[in-house]
Amino acid sequence: MSPTETSSSTRRELHIEVAADEVTRETEALIRKYQQLARIPGFRRGHVPASVIRQRFAEEIRSQVVDALVPRHFREQTDKQGLVPVSQPQVTDLSIQEGEPLRFKASFEVLPKITVEGYKELRAVKPSITVSDEEVEQSLKNLQEQHATFVSVEGRALAENDFAQVSLDGKPEDGQGQPVHMDDLLVEIGGTNTMPEFTENLRGRFVGDEPSFAVHYAPDFSDPRLAGKTVLYTVKVQAIKRKQLPEMNDQFAQQLGEFANLDQVRQRLREGIEADRRRQAEREAKDKLVAQLIERNDFELPEALVERQIDLRLERGRRALMAQGVKPEDIKKLDLNRLRAAERERARQEVKGSLLLDRIAEEENIRVEEEEINREVEALAAQSRQSPDAIRARLTREGVLDRIRDRIRNEKTLDFLYRQSA
Amino acid sequence: MRSAYQILRRPVITEKGLAIKEHQNTLVFQVAPRATKTEIKQAVEIIFKVKVDSVRTARYPGKERRRGKFAGYRPDWKKAYVRLRAGEKIPEYAQNL
């Protein structure tokens, strides 16, 4: 008694009827439960007659009966017909009367039949990865910069490329905004990150000098608190420092860690750059593979999955903003509808990609071993400094574990595609 | 003369009230404190269209209620046991209580 109506390849509607005696049984069980618990004036607990319960708790009992029966029968029917719903069913035309069968319609989305074709013919470009000597030298130089030390210079004025150690007081010219005070600030004379006014006014100064000058910030200055403003600074030169780079020799190498000489450092740097590039190239190649896959295999997508993916993407975006220090109030101000619309296309592609990868995984019998999940969980545990068991319990509860499993499977499937695309 | 609905205030829905409805063919009401047995009898006959055999009444003085140092009383009330004539059907209204 439940014709499946097909309105599209992903939407299904079921008409479900629950036998009257089952409804009665459920109702009576509930009444018995209420009888044990209900406290009604005039009755001792547990001595309230069913008729009183039926009258007092009519609404509650009704909705509980529905809550109990509807999902159960919905699942039964979908199981029987071999449908896998991917969305919560929308229940309509619900009718429940004493002594009558419970009837309702449920509409929901299912995964379409997906056939993947041509994934064996996919070809990915595997670029050859080269790292030039210059690049290695450049990153060695960066390393050298990072290990630079500052040494004090005595008895002369500030010159180009010196660092002035200063304390400063700044006051916005228009009196609006907070005055700033900073100690032990290092200002590079003529440095690319130094405001030109600072360079001009500090060059040639001695320790103990206290010049005052105004600095005008451009309207598009990176710090919005300063953009477009003119600030009056009084700067006190405390010391003059020079940056001293460590000498490029085997001693420097040993200082960096487990290296015996510079060549070993070069070797390690080269490997690092190479691995980075390879990873990036691989990622790009895989993205292209998925894009091709989607192009070759088009199918109708259940909206519920797309919506869920959009939610996921927005949530990720929200976290990223939070991490950047954007205030929650400001995030709330964002136009959610517009954002959702903007994410829709990307979300569709992602869902399609992962559905196709799922199919391929099935076809190729790609499985995720318990061990692989454990490894992932342990990595997470180490990151958040909690015990793996605690993390696992939380993830299971929040359903994230399944997501991790899916992700690993997708990753493995991608690896498979990538390998066989050579 | 007060109307029948002013005399019968509400049914008394308690374990005892429901038990004697089942076993003694008797309905229990809270009634107006000044109502007489005759008035109660007539009121039940009019409202429920049944014949009344007898009426017993009991008066309950209101209990003291305190709110801190202020003392007050709940209203006094009257309870009526209305016995229906043998063979009279219990009205549907009372049935569902």
Side-chain angles (χ1 to χ4, degrees), chain A residues 100-324:
Chain A
E100 262 186 53
L102 167 76
R103 294 190 188 88
F104 62 93
K105 283 186 203 163
S107 75
F108 55 99
E109 292 188 288
V110 292
L111 273 189
K113 269 233 166 341
I114 301 171
T115 44
V116 265
E117 276 159 17
Y119 66 88
K120 290 213 160 110
E121 286 93 66
L122 290 181
R123 289 292 164 261
V125 256
K126 286 187 187 170
S128 55
I129 289 152
T130 50
V131 180
S132 69
D133 289 345
E134 287 86 63
E135 286 165 326
V136 176
E137 285 314 311
Q138 184 55 43
S139 85
L140 192 58
K141 275 226 178 61
N142 289 343
L143 209 56
Q144 193 188 14
E145 286 278 336
Q146 278 166 29
H147 285 79
T149 47
F150 291 95
V151 282
S152 288
V153 180
E154 306 281 335
R156 69 171 173 81
L158 276 162
E160 203 71 11
N161 297 334
D162 279 350
F163 282 79
Q165 187 186 337
V166 300
S167 70
L168 61 78
D169 281 286
K171 232 180 4 207
E173 197 183 40
D174 53 7
Q176 307 264 312
Q178 289 292 311
V180 264
H181 176 83
M182 275 187 278
D183 276 320
D184 295 332
L185 195 66
L186 281 178
V187 180
E188 185 180 5
I189 305 299
T192 44
N193 294 326
T194 308
M195 297 292 293
E197 285 94 334
F198 274 89
T199 296
E200 290 315 311
N201 287 287
L202 288 175
R203 188 184 290 135
R205 298 282 182 177
F206 289 90
V207 174
D209 280 357
E210 259 183 86
S212 295
F213 52 91
V215 176
H216 182 71
Y217 292 96
D220 57 353
F221 191 68
S222 58
D223 188 338
R225 280 171 305 182
L226 294 173
K229 289 203 166 165
T230 302
V231 181
L232 294 171
Y233 284 106
T234 306
V235 180
K236 183 167 172 153
V237 182
Q238 290 166 327
I240 297 172
K241 306 248 171 175
R242 263 208 103 70
K243 194 184 208 175
Q244 193 164 54
L245 295 178
E247 260 185 82
M248 200 72 100
N249 53 26
D250 291 350
Q251 219 176 348
F252 173 57
Q254 280 151 21
Q255 200 191 323
L256 288 176
E258 71 274 30
F259 304 105
N261 54 45
L262 265 184
D263 280 338
Q264 281 185 12
V265 179
R266 287 202 180 90
Q267 182 59 26
R268 173 66 66 86
L269 286 171
R270 181 182 292 275
E271 282 164 12
I273 298 173
E274 219 173 74
D276 270 356
R277 295 233 173 116
R278 181 167 306 128
R279 218 170 304 134
Q280 206 193 335
E282 216 174 285
R283 177 73 1 240
E284 275 168 22
K286 283 176 180 173
D287 282 349
K288 271 194 200 122
L289 279 179
V290 174
Q292 283 177 46
L293 203 56
I294 292 172
E295 214 167 293
R296 284 177 186 220
N297 297 282
D298 196 27
F299 56 91
E300 208 174 339
L301 216 48
E303 274 310 298
L305 285 184
V306 179
E307 291 295 327
R308 211 175 302 161
Q309 187 69 19
I310 293 176
D311 286 342
L312 218 68
R313 289 182 64 87
L314 289 182
E315 177 58 23
R316 224 178 287 152
R318 200 181 62 83
R319 291 231 177 111
L321 285 177
M322 291 279 272
Q324 282 167 30

Side-chain angles (χ1 to χ4, degrees), chain A residues 11-69:
Chain A
R11 218 158 232 302
R12 294 279 185 288
E13 192 168 87
L14 284 178
H15 295 231
I16 299 174
E17 195 171 290
V18 184
D21 63 330
E22 189 174 350
V23 178
T24 313
R25 215 174 325 126
E26 189 71 33
T27 312
E28 271 160 15
L30 263 175
I31 288 176
R32 271 195 297 283
K33 212 166 85 195
Y34 270 86
Q35 267 181 312
Q36 313 234 307
L37 301 169
R39 299 194 59 172
I40 291 178
F43 297 92
R44 288 166 295 162
R45 189 187 292 217
H47 289 263
V48 186
S51 64
V52 173
I53 298 283
R54 210 180 273 274
Q55 207 175 33
R56 293 280 168 103
F57 297 108
E59 265 313 303
E60 285 95 327
I61 288 174
R62 229 166 77 114
S63 73
Q64 282 192 25
V65 167
V66 170
D67 283 354
L69 291 180

Side-chain angles (χ1 to χ4, degrees), chain A residues 41-44 47 49 51-52 55, chain B residues 13-16 18 93 95-97:
Chain A
F43 297 92
R44 288 166 295 162
H47 289 263
S51 64
V52 173
Q55 207 175 33
Chain B
I13 304 165
T14 60
E15 274 184 66
K16 178 178 178 181
L18 295 188
Y93 168 72
Q95 195 83 59
N96 288 337
L97 293 181

